[in-house]
Amino acid sequence: MRSEFSPVEGFDPPALGEPYLLTPGPLTTAYTVKQAMLRDWGSWDGDFRSMTADLRRRLLALIGDAKGEYDCVPIQGSGSFCVEAMLGSFVPKDGKVLVLANGAYGLRAAQTMQYLGRAFTLIDKGDYLPPRGDEVGAALDADPAITHVIAIHCETSSGILNPVAEISEAAYARGRKLLVDSMSAFGAIPLEVGKIRYEAMVSSANKCIEGVPGFGFVIAKKNELEKAKGNSHSLSLDIHAQWAAMEKTGQWRFTPPTHVVAAFLEALRMHEAEGGVAARGARYMKNRNVMVEGMRKLGFETLLSDRWLSPIIVTFFCPSDSNFVFERFYELMKDKGFIIYPGKLTVIDSFRVGCIGRMDEHVMHRVVEAARQSLAEMGVASAAPPQAALAQRAKLAA
Ligand SMILES: *Cc1c(COP(=O)(O)O)cnc(C)c1O
């Protein structure tokens, strides 16, 4: 069963009646990824154990770990479970974390530290300003108790691509360790250990690798994994225990999402066939460029200047025209086959359009056309944002 929306060259359209998900995960997956779930697996069986081993090997291959210093540990649950597992396993009980926030996911990491009851300090840059290397350095100099820094690679709430390389340099120049939430970037934006130093990173199945939701994974230095023994606050989120069990038995400690793992392996095969991280990133970049250029022609403005725009998701200001109502725009876009994403800015109305998932620039041209038609149906003459929005954006350049 295929889509009522016209097919796109080289890419299977979603199944019948399914709109494209222009959202940062769950996202539109390939037909063969969905098809891979049509079989049951015994989690203890050798076939599934070798699937787990294959998954770990393929993910590790994406970080260019020539020295074999890292290992990959999948964890059941959504991405936030993995962030919590990482913080609880790698930050010692008497450690202290500098949390870098410029949106919802950074703040969630801080909230996680609160739940863990471990020490942390927060640099909160607001809705979208990037945390820079020099201010990270100053914060570390001012507080010798800080042992770890956590940075969000792509802060999905605004779509900003944070400068993790300079953050890493600032941390290691002062003998501190970096943990990275690369949830919405990994697989499309390089995070090679030879280029950016970090102890551990997390991502999940339903973002740039284009799998379905159900688990995430941690890639960490083996010596950090060893040191994590006995450190976790949680039985089910103990990365050391999951790692040790997997090394010994090849199995997940508790029931794995078997179908999700099978789908993810197919997604990983497609990722490799496409040309790996570079090709995946290039496709998303093209998606973004076509979509942003088209939307700007309609009068829409992006929250971020080009320098900070990620190829993952883009935030647009809502038009100032009083005929524009986001809920209506959302429904009109959905009628045309595209699910967009509400904004997460606290000050100014916005919405987001994701560039990731099983789609290419031909789809993005149609997204722009759908937006043009939707504006016309609402009687919106111009998609230009209010002056206040542009004034806020000017702060980024300052
Ligand atoms: C998606 C995402 C997460 C995890 O969110 P879940 O809803 O738990 O999957 C964490 N951090 C970032 C940056 C994300 O994009």
Side-chain angles (χ1 to χ4, degrees):
M1 299 246 281
R2 294 305 166 90
S3 179
E4 70 201 44
F5 308 111
S6 58
V8 172
E9 197 186 328
F11 282 78
D12 294 321
L16 186 68
E18 254 185 70
Y20 281 96
L21 300 180
L22 303 171
T23 55
L27 38 61
T28 294
T29 57
Y31 195 77
T32 54
V33 167
K34 295 185 252 274
Q35 220 168 17
M37 292 187 283
L38 293 174
R39 175 180 165 171
D40 304 314
W41 303 88
S43 60
W44 66 94
D45 181 70
D47 290 343
F48 187 74
R49 278 184 284 147
S50 68
M51 285 160 66
T52 298
D54 193 21
L55 174 152
R56 295 172 67 198
R57 206 167 31 238
R58 283 171 182 272
L59 284 171
L60 268 180
L62 302 184
I63 61 158
D65 173 27
K67 295 188 211 147
E69 289 178 313
Y70 288 73
D71 209 343
C72 173
V73 187
I75 300 279
Q76 295 93 329
S78 86
S80 301
F81 292 56
C82 288
V83 175
E84 186 166 335
M86 173 170 75
L87 290 168
S89 298
F90 298 129
V91 178
K93 293 197 169 99
D94 60 355
K96 182 172 183 180
V97 179
L98 171 61
V99 178
L100 305 178
N102 54 342
Y105 293 102
L107 293 177
R108 190 179 296 173
Q111 192 186 17
T112 306
M113 290 306 298
Q114 227 154 23
Y115 268 76
L116 292 181
R118 296 188 196 180
F120 72 99
T121 180
L122 174 68
I123 293 183
D124 183 1
K125 300 286 293 186
D127 275 346
Y128 56 87
L129 293 173
R132 301 304 302 263
D134 50 1
E135 58 195 319
V136 171
L140 294 176
D141 289 338
D143 188 351
I146 296 170
T147 53
H148 292 70
V149 177
I150 181 164
I152 313 297
H153 195 178
C154 171
E155 175 49 78
T156 322
S157 40
S158 65
I160 190 169
L161 194 56
N162 280 322
V164 283
E166 66 182 46
I167 291 166
S168 170
E169 274 165 35
Y172 285 97
R174 290 162 181 82
R176 320 303 171 85
K177 294 175 170 177
L178 179 65
L179 306 173
V180 184
D181 170 353
S182 186
M183 208 69 65
S184 63
F186 188 75
I189 297 171
L191 195 58
E192 287 177 24
V193 292
K195 301 209 174 106
I196 297 180
R197 195 168 164 195
Y198 56 89
E199 305 303 311
M201 53 92 21
V202 286
S203 184
S204 72
N206 59 280
K207 303 239 173 168
C208 298
I209 309 286
E210 301 183 358
V212 303
F215 73 93
F217 48 90
V218 180
I219 293 180
K221 277 208 176 119
K222 286 177 194 164
N223 62 10
E224 288 294 313
L225 285 164
E226 274 154 16
K227 274 190 283 183
K229 186 172 184 180
N231 195 45
S232 180
H233 61 296
S234 159
L235 171 72
S236 54
L237 298 177
D238 184 338
I239 296 173
H240 175 272
Q242 180 93 324
W243 178 60
M246 244 174 218
E247 288 293 284
K248 197 167 162 213
T249 68
Q251 294 179 35
W252 303 49
R253 271 182 313 157
F254 310 127
T255 303
T258 48
H259 302 77
V260 177
V261 169
F264 191 67
L265 269 181
E266 171 60 15
L268 277 169
R269 279 186 212 105
M270 294 180 81
H271 184 268
E272 187 181 296
E274 186 173 352
V277 176
R280 182 61 53 94
R283 170 159 63 85
Y284 291 168
M285 188 77 83
K286 208 176 232 178
N287 284 352
R288 182 203 72 190
N289 290 346
V290 164
M291 189 267 294
V292 167
E293 195 188 316
M295 294 291 276
R296 281 178 176 160
K297 276 192 188 140
L298 298 178
F300 284 106
E301 298 263 5
T302 58
L303 163 74
L304 300 171
S305 59
D306 288 356
R307 170 169 180 192
W308 299 107
L309 277 187
S310 69
I312 307 300
I313 186 165
V314 178
T315 299
F316 293 95
F317 293 121
C318 288
S320 60
D321 190 315
S322 59
N323 284 339
F324 185 90
V325 179
F326 175 74
E327 290 70 23
R328 179 93 206 287
F329 185 62
Y330 179 93
E331 289 303 330
L332 290 169
M333 290 295 287
K334 185 176 169 186
D335 287 346
K336 295 168 182 56
F338 302 105
I339 289 203
I340 59 173
Y341 208 48
K344 256 191 185 171
L345 303 183
T346 47
V347 184
I348 286 172
D349 288 340
S350 62
F351 66 92
R352 293 175 287 173
V353 181
C355 311
I356 64 179
R358 190 72 186 158
M359 58 208 181
D360 64 7
E361 84 257 31
H362 301 289
V363 176
M364 297 321 248
H365 280 296
R366 288 162 44 204
V367 171
V368 173
E369 178 52 25
R372 192 192 63 74
Q373 283 178 22
S374 300
L375 291 178
E377 286 167 51
M378 294 170 79
V380 174
S382 161
Q387 276 308 313
L390 298 176
Q392 192 180 53
R393 188 177 63 183
K395 279 200 293 185
L396 240 191

